[in-house]
Amino acid sequence: MDKPRIIFPFAEAGLGHIMPLKSIADAFEKKYGDITQCVRTSFFGDSDDRHLRAFGKFIGEEVVKQNRHTFYGFLSTFVMTLFGTRISSWATMKVRVRGAYAAAVARMEQLRPDLVVSTHWATNYYAERLSPKPLTAVYVPDAHINALFRYPADLTAISMSTGYETALKKYRRRFDRDNLRLVPFAIREEAFAVDPDKKVNRRKLGLDENKFTVVLAEGGYGLGKMKEICKSVIALDLPVILIPLCGKNDELYRELNAAVCGDRTEMYPQSFRPDVFEFMASADLFCGKSGNIIAEPTFFGVPSVITKHATGIEKRIGDYYVRKVGCAVDEFDPRKVARMIADFAADPGKLDGYRNNARANRGNYGAEHFADCLFELLRTRFPHL
């Protein structure tokens, strides 16, 4: 008997979708890869169809636009909520890029899936429209299950308890405790191999292990207030180390790399790199835009200053870490962020409460539990496994 085919379709719509799927695929393949056939694919990028590639470009550009223009980001999520799941899904998948829907369904059919595991709503939509329909599973990498993620799937999982509880109460016709699971955050397995001691990581990175260290990031596209914060810190000549993670924003990287610091401030900008965990674990403080990136410093017990919400989705993520976990604060004025850094550098003990709350959340990480849920779902159709 042929092994069941498990499809992990990647969508280039920000690292918040890509990295959790990588983590889930790694965990599933490690545990069940010998009895299943696991297929990873860049669903849009690997296609030769111009309509499908255009749709992949569209969803990537939407992420960039929402991050650059906050009003547009909040408007997008508001409109999506206003029109609801069915209409928003239809308009996004069938209207925005003509011809993409038919090409996407054809591509999904060619993959011959028995189970499609998605961290982006688009690939789940296509899988659900196949006939015969494969099993479908969705991991929601956000703090709530937004309208597009509420499109039907055989299994939906979320890692933030606020979103789980809200979905069970507010969307009872769609979710129950059988088809909705609360699972740990799907951080990459590499994170567990990094020493949580910030001084150990600073030594590895060639940094002064006793100097207050701030890591800044704005997601994979490097769009936010990082440049203004760094310049404000440099202007104050604070006795700190700044590590701006510029992502794919090469222009920002070049500009910060050329910046001249005073005698006390050190700055080491980084261009896009997937191995950021040692930088995160080296920090006393993280500063950056809200989104799933906040999960990474939290994993290493590092408090966060959230400097921007690009969309309503990101606001809910930020609120989760500020109000539920208690490891973060909001501050959107770059000069005030710089003054906060000055205050914390002068008295690091002020961060102890946030740090302890972040560390208390460390048990809520890892993709293995969701991998087990996927296998449990797969056995409903393949009981011989």
Side-chain angles (χ1 to χ4, degrees):
M1 183 176 291
D2 291 341
K3 295 180 179 180
R5 285 172 62 85
I6 319 302
I7 309 301
F8 299 95
F10 289 80
E12 178 57 54
L15 296 180
H17 295 281
I18 294 171
M19 293 306 183
L21 187 58
K22 181 183 183 303
S23 175
I24 293 164
D26 287 346
F28 187 89
E29 193 165 339
K30 181 178 180 180
K31 197 164 186 180
Y32 303 110
D34 58 333
I35 54 175
T36 61
Q37 185 178 356
C38 297
V39 180
R40 306 185 195 204
T41 179
S42 174
F43 188 79
F44 302 101
D46 288 347
S47 173
D48 293 329
D49 186 276
R50 63 183 179 87
H51 302 99
L52 197 53
R53 292 181 69 87
F55 188 85
K57 183 179 180 182
F58 156 70
I59 60 175
E61 288 176 343
E62 281 293 292
V63 175
V64 173
K65 195 185 299 183
Q66 290 169 359
N67 279 277
R68 280 189 174 143
H69 309 290
T70 302
F71 174 78
Y72 180 80
F74 274 84
L75 179 64
S76 297
T77 50
F78 170 76
V79 169
M80 179 177 64
T81 302
L82 178 66
F83 285 101
T85 297
R86 294 286 180 176
I87 295 176
S88 295
S89 296
W90 168 80
T92 304
M93 254 67 82
K94 290 190 174 182
V95 177
R96 292 300 295 266
V97 180
R98 296 288 185 179
Y101 168 74
V105 171
R107 172 154 168 70
M108 191 65 79
E109 286 176 340
Q110 291 167 1
L111 292 169
R112 298 182 290 109
D114 292 302
L115 167 62
V116 178
V117 183
S118 299
T119 57
H120 192 276
W121 35 264
T123 52
N124 175 65
Y125 183 86
Y126 304 136
E128 278 285 322
R129 309 288 282 195
L130 295 187
S131 181
K133 189 186 83 66
L135 294 167
T136 56
V138 175
Y139 173 82
V140 181
D142 301 324
H144 83 302
I145 305 174
N146 70 53
L148 297 180
F149 271 119
R150 290 197 295 273
Y151 197 81
D154 294 304
L155 174 66
T156 301
I158 189 169
S159 65
M160 301 185 197
S161 58
T162 49
Y164 175 75
E165 293 159 3
T166 298
L168 288 177
K169 292 176 182 177
K170 194 172 181 180
Y171 308 110
R172 294 179 181 177
R173 292 184 178 180
R174 170 66 188 90
F175 297 114
D176 57 38
R177 295 186 187 277
D178 290 327
N179 64 18
L180 179 66
R181 302 291 180 87
L182 180 64
V183 300
F185 185 85
I187 199 167
R188 286 175 291 153
E189 188 176 359
E190 299 95 295
F192 292 95
V194 175
D195 195 309
D197 188 323
K198 59 177 174 284
K199 291 191 175 183
V200 169
N201 288 288
R202 288 179 199 167
R203 287 196 294 270
K204 287 182 179 179
L205 295 169
L207 304 174
D208 184 340
E209 66 181 64
N210 296 309
K211 196 167 187 177
F212 193 87
T213 301
V214 182
V215 171
L216 307 95
E218 307 287 357
Y221 296 106
L223 297 168
K225 301 180 180 179
M226 183 169 18
K227 178 172 70 175
E228 289 79 9
I229 294 169
C230 288
K231 289 187 174 181
S232 296
V233 171
I234 291 170
L236 295 172
D237 194 23
L238 300 179
V240 300
I241 296 171
L242 297 177
I243 305 177
L245 305 176
C246 301
K248 299 178 182 179
N249 192 331
D250 295 333
E251 181 180 349
L252 176 63
Y253 170 72
R254 288 192 295 269
E255 184 171 352
L256 291 179
N257 206 38
V260 178
C261 298
D263 294 334
R264 301 197 300 169
T265 303
E266 301 176 53
M267 184 165 68
Y268 305 102
Q270 305 295 316
S271 58
F272 177 77
R273 52 191 304 164
D275 57 332
V276 297
F277 290 136
E278 286 186 350
F279 291 101
M280 291 290 187
S282 74
D284 292 290
L285 181 67
F286 173 83
C287 296
K289 173 179 84 69
S290 183
N292 287 315
I293 197 168
I294 304 297
E296 294 178 359
T298 303
F299 176 80
F300 293 109
V302 177
S304 295
V305 176
I306 296 173
T307 59
K308 180 180 178 179
H309 299 142
T311 65
I313 293 170
E314 289 193 358
K315 184 180 187 307
R316 286 185 172 91
I317 294 174
D319 288 347
Y320 173 80
Y321 288 101
V322 171
R323 299 175 185 175
K324 183 71 175 179
V325 181
C327 64
V329 295
D330 288 328
E331 181 51 68
F332 304 147
D333 185 323
R335 288 173 294 183
K336 290 183 179 179
V337 173
R339 290 197 288 272
M340 290 176 73
I341 292 172
D343 187 37
F344 291 139
D347 186 1
K350 292 182 177 180
L351 289 170
D352 285 348
Y354 301 106
R355 187 179 297 112
N356 291 337
N357 289 338
R359 288 171 176 165
N361 193 60
R362 189 175 170 102
N364 189 37
Y365 286 89
E368 185 174 342
H369 178 68
F370 185 50
D372 291 339
C373 292
L374 293 174
F375 188 68
E376 176 187 322
L377 174 64
L378 191 63
R379 290 192 72 240
T380 62
R381 191 168 293 183
F382 300 90
H384 66 279
L385 292 176

